[in-house]
Amino acid sequence: MQTIKLNNGVEMPQLGFGVYQIPLEETAEAVYQAIKAGYRLIDTASIYGNEKETGEGIKRAIDEGLVTREELFVTSKLFILQAPEEKAAETIEHSLDTMGLDYLDLYLIHQPYGDVYGAWRAMVAAQKAGKLRAIGISNFKSAKMIEFVGLNEVTPQINQIEVNPWNQRIEDQEWHEKYGVQVEAWAPFAEGRHELFTNPVLKEIGKQYGKTVGQVVLRWLMQRGIVALAKSVRPERMAENIDIFDFELSTEDIEKIAALDMKESAFFDHDAPQQVEWFMKRMEDTEK
Ligand SMILES: NC(=O)c1ccc[n+]([C@@H]2O[C@H](COP(=O)([O-])OP(=O)(O)OC[C@H]3O[C@@H](n4cnc5c(N)ncnc54)[C@H](OP(=O)(O)O)[C@@H]3O)[C@@H](O)[C@H]2O)c1
């Protein structure tokens, strides 16, 4: 697996497997199958509600000798908290306990709301204590990322943001490179929105190499130097999505993909009032 070196020297796999929206009863099996298919980066979050099942899939793969813990790169995320500086340490311990792990390879501030500075101080302390190998942010727009880097001693290793052919984040990637923050793509397939998997431009590009649309999209992210997380519950698609290291997109292909950029989220804007309202409600429900 191709790796990327983060700004603190930690190396991570460039392609990973995400477990968002996988039904609880299918998560452990999906994680196990993904590891069996060759994925080493596994991405979950406390708010997904499946940290336990993700940990079970990991444990089974380790117990069966498919991988060692050191060969895996496991990520979870801190959801919005009203008092993160006080509660984050406990939340991190809870994630570790729930997943049955001694440390996480990456831990992210999941959403750009609330006292992200207090959360960060707690995460820096946990990193120093050896519980988190890398720490980062998620869903921060470039302006907020720059402010965050400027006002903290420790620069985030990662910003996990939406990147896909409809929302390519070309300028955002340049800003992140300037500040040494690695971009990690969520929803690389835009969850299939705008008929991604049947898009004629992407299909035509893939045809030249005997590759599918999904493979073209993930290869495009690899060539851009972005870490990508793909999700599938189907072993045949897991295998398809990881089979992207034996071809190269040409400059012409990349220009054709560039022309697809709509420069807006295929989902929602994190600054939209109704969206922030939705997140505040989610926080209240989880803190109950
Ligand atoms: N930080 C954040 O706020 C955030 C937000 C969203 C996601 N994420 C992370 O990013 C990961 C990936 O994003 P995502 O799950 O939202 O969406 P995604 O990976 O863009 O799309 C997943 C969808 O594509 C389908 N699919 C996968 N491979 C396919 C293929 N080769 N051909 C056809 N269909 C295929 C899957 O269906 P099947 O499962 O039926 O195959 C699923 O419906 C998540 O799992 C999560 O870990 C993070």
Side-chain angles (χ1 to χ4, degrees):
M1 173 60 67
Q2 210 161 284
T3 60
I4 288 262
K5 196 178 250 186
L6 303 175
N7 67 22
N8 65 346
V10 166
E11 279 197 43
M12 76 180 288
Q14 201 184 343
L15 179 67
F17 182 76
V19 301
Y20 179 46
Q21 291 173 331
I22 299 184
L24 266 196
E25 63 285 4
E26 291 177 39
T27 305
E29 177 68 18
V31 168
Y32 170 80
Q33 290 297 340
I35 295 171
K36 205 169 172 190
Y39 294 84
R40 294 295 175 260
L41 160 58
I42 308 291
D43 182 273
T44 185
S46 54
I47 197 71
Y48 300 168
N50 58 11
E51 283 181 320
K52 179 169 168 278
E53 292 73 13
T54 300
E56 286 167 3
I58 290 171
K59 184 172 185 308
R60 180 175 163 207
I62 293 174
D63 287 350
E64 289 187 14
L66 295 183
V67 278
T68 61
R69 169 66 186 94
E70 294 69 35
E71 286 168 329
L72 293 175
F73 192 95
V74 185
T75 304
S76 193
K77 313 186 190 88
L78 181 77
F79 196 60
I80 314 158
L81 291 171
Q82 275 167 349
E85 193 155 9
E86 290 157 34
K87 292 190 206 151
E90 202 183 298
T91 309
I92 294 166
E93 283 304 327
H94 186 259
S95 286
L96 289 171
D97 279 358
T98 308
M99 296 184 80
L101 300 174
D102 300 328
Y103 67 91
L104 284 165
D105 296 279
L106 177 65
Y107 197 67
L108 304 174
I109 295 179
H110 201 155
Q111 301 295 346
Y113 308 121
D115 179 16
V116 288
Y117 290 86
W120 193 243
R121 284 190 285 276
M123 285 165 60
V124 168
Q127 186 177 37
K128 284 192 181 135
K131 292 180 192 295
L132 311 173
R133 291 179 68 226
I135 52 177
I137 52 182
S138 178
N139 296 307
F140 279 47
K141 293 187 181 179
S142 291
K144 188 152 179 135
M145 176 278 293
I146 294 166
E147 179 190 340
F148 197 73
V149 170
L151 290 169
N152 279 305
E153 251 172 56
V154 176
T155 295
Q157 273 88 62
I158 288 271
N159 188 9
Q160 187 180 115
I161 55 176
E162 177 194 344
V163 189
N164 49 56
W166 316 136
N167 189 21
Q168 299 190 8
R169 316 295 291 265
I170 304 288
E171 286 166 18
D172 287 320
Q173 187 182 5
E174 287 166 8
W175 282 113
H176 284 72
E177 279 168 0
K178 181 171 177 186
Y179 287 88
V181 181
Q182 174 65 46
V183 172
E184 181 175 33
W186 62 253
F189 307 134
E191 294 180 7
R193 286 174 193 213
H194 305 299
E195 299 182 340
L196 181 128
F197 291 109
T198 51
N199 178 271
V201 174
L202 297 171
K203 268 172 85 174
E204 200 56 38
I205 292 172
K207 225 164 142 192
Q208 302 171 92
Y209 311 102
K211 294 289 178 181
T212 64
V213 166
Q215 290 170 322
V216 167
V217 170
L218 294 173
R219 180 69 212 176
W220 165 71
L221 289 164
M222 295 300 106
Q223 289 184 213
R224 284 183 61 193
I226 291 178
V227 175
L229 299 168
K231 171 260 170 186
S232 177
V233 290
R234 306 176 203 211
E236 67 278 12
R237 285 184 181 166
M238 294 176 191
E240 176 189 325
N241 294 344
I242 205 172
D243 183 19
I244 56 166
F245 296 100
D246 60 351
F247 76 113
E248 187 141 9
L249 299 172
S250 66
T251 312
E252 205 189 350
D253 297 331
I254 288 166
E255 278 165 11
K256 283 184 191 156
I257 298 175
L260 301 175
D261 195 0
M262 299 181 201
K263 298 188 187 217
E264 66 175 30
S265 171
F267 300 88
F268 57 81
D269 180 351
H270 275 83
D271 288 337
Q274 59 274 40
Q275 197 57 49
V276 181
E277 248 183 358
W278 184 86
F279 275 115
M280 294 302 109
K281 177 89 180 60
R282 247 2 258 277
M283 176 195 67
E284 278 168 21
D285 292 346
T286 50
E287 290 214 347
K288 258 177 212 159

